[in-house]
Amino acid sequence: MHIGQTNYLPLSGPFFLSLFGLLSLVFVLVQIGALQFAYRRMGLHPGAAWLLLLGSLLGSYVNLPIVHLPEQQVVSGQVIDFFGMKYVVPIVVDWPGTIIAVNVGGALIPGLTSIYLASRNRIWWLGAICVVGVAGVCHTLAQPVRGLGIALPVFVPALSSAIIALLLSRRHAAPLAYIGGSLGALIGADLLNLDKVQGLGAPIVSIGGAGTFDGVFVTGVIAVLLASLTGARGPDGRHSGAAT
């Protein structure tokens, strides 16, 4: 087994480029000031927020192996279509079985950002409720897919977290949506379904990787849109709208 084979883009080229295009649009809107107040409402500096999204996108290439499950035969070098999204199964040589890994861009970065937002906005309990709600939805809709692992329709984390966040708190809807969508997808779709991955023939099952990464990434964008549409206030209690 070559360790470098655990690193690969989770989506096919056109779909990955579409997410990069979405990120570029966010960057332009931040530069012209259209979304700066939205990020500040979330408790993030606009520049730092864009770098986090960029880091998440680029970090999706990196998987950190943690567990090895024996497998008689693994799928290699395929593109799997699931709910209109095309996920890449890497080409592997001399593979020992199924590798459980943690994706840097889809798990580590969103996870750490969620903890920061919960602390910054002092919404630990609301965040926990939102995570539990989204995790329940994601766990119900996630499906084991041969050769891939666990997959989830792309907009499930973003839409479910947005609805639950608005019901919990309009003021903190944006950070709650990010926290709930990110951690809820990782827990509900990936972690709670790890018992189902053996026997799927997937060479790599990446927590926050192929199957859930796109949903987690879109959640970050939806959270920003929520911040721009709601009259939320910043963590200091003052309105954080555009400067006059």
Side-chain angles (χ1 to χ4, degrees), residues 94-114:
D94 298 327
W95 208 249
T98 296
I99 300 295
I100 306 295
V102 175
N103 188 269
V104 172
L108 286 184
I109 291 178
L112 293 174
T113 303
S114 295

Side-chain angles (χ1 to χ4, degrees), residues 132-144:
V132 170
V134 176
V137 174
C138 291
H139 185 64
T140 300
L141 297 179
Q143 298 180 26

